[in-house]
Amino acid sequence: MTAAQNLTQFSLGDALQFVLVAMLAVGLIVLFKPLLRGLALAALLLVKPKLSKEQRLQRRQMRDAALLNGLINADGTPSNAAELRALASRG
């Protein structure tokens, strides 16, 4: 049988049944959306856990220090480099 013959064999009842099942599935997804979102977040945390507060602080400090070092190296004037070093020593 060809695809065209299979399409012509669908009745109105089959189409209505398909639409009802699709509407029921969408309704259940909407109803359980918070639960599904929580399950997805839990699965994500299993794969990639959150960093602790100390780890986040250390990463931020390392990023800031690398940024300042990049600014120091990029700028050739000694006065600006000294000012940037002073800023880096405060943080």
Side-chain angles (χ1 to χ4, degrees), residues 5-35:
Q5 288 174 345
N6 285 336
L7 287 176
T8 58
Q9 290 179 356
F10 282 120
S11 67
L12 182 61
D14 291 338
L16 285 175
Q17 184 180 7
F18 175 76
V19 169
L20 287 175
V21 169
M23 286 176 49
L24 180 66
V26 169
L28 287 175
I29 289 173
V30 170
L31 181 66
F32 292 110
K33 186 177 181 180
L35 176 65

Side-chain angles (χ1 to χ4, degrees), residues 1-2 5 7 14-16 20 25 28 33 35 48 52-54 60 65 67-68 71 73-74 78 81 90:
M1 290 179 141
T2 65
Q5 288 174 345
L7 287 176
D14 291 338
L16 285 175
L20 287 175
L28 287 175
K33 186 177 181 180
L35 176 65
K48 184 181 175 188
S52 69
K53 193 179 251 187
E54 293 83 18
R60 191 176 321 120
L67 176 67
L68 284 173
L71 289 173
N73 293 336
R90 291 184 203 161

Side-chain angles (χ1 to χ4, degrees), residues 51-62:
L51 297 176
S52 69
K53 193 179 251 187
E54 293 83 18
Q55 289 172 327
R56 287 182 289 183
L57 178 64
Q58 287 176 352
R59 276 201 179 175
R60 191 176 321 120
Q61 288 174 344
M62 291 291 288

